[in-house]
Amino acid sequence: MRDLALLKAGTLDLLSPALSLQAALSFLPPGSPAAPVRLRAYLAHTCLHDLYWLLRNDPYDFDAQRALKLPRTRQALAALPPA
C-alpha cells in the first residue's frame, strides 16, 4: 500500500484527480475490504511526508506545492472509506 500511495501522490497525480484515483484503485486487490482503508492511511501519511520534504528542500515553492497536493489528497481521502 505504501508503494501505491507513493505512485498515487507522484506519477498518477499528473492525471486529473478523478483519473488519478481511479488508476490507483485499479491496483487494489479485489475482494479485500481492508485495502481501501489501508490505502487511505498511506495516502495521508505520504501527503504529510511530501509536504515536510518540500518544506525542507530548496528550490521548491512550498505554498504552490501545498496548493496542488492538499486538494488532491483531500479528494482521494474523501472517496476512500475511513478506518
Side-chain angles (χ1 to χ4, degrees), residues 11-64:
T11 304
L12 293 180
D13 272 354
L14 296 173
L15 302 169
S16 71
L19 286 176
S20 174
L21 182 59
Q22 182 181 5
L25 293 175
S26 74
F27 289 105
L28 292 179
S32 175
V37 174
R38 289 179 55 224
L39 177 59
R40 187 177 200 272
Y42 277 109
L43 281 174
H45 178 266
T46 300
C47 179
L48 290 173
H49 179 269
D50 285 355
L51 291 175
Y52 177 78
W53 189 90
L54 289 165
L55 186 62
R56 294 289 181 198
N57 291 277
D58 289 329
Y60 297 101
D61 181 358
F62 177 75
D63 292 328

Side-chain angles (χ1 to χ4, degrees), residues 21 33 52 63 70 73-75:
L21 182 59
Y52 177 78
D63 292 328
L70 281 180
T73 301
R74 286 181 176 144
Q75 181 265 339

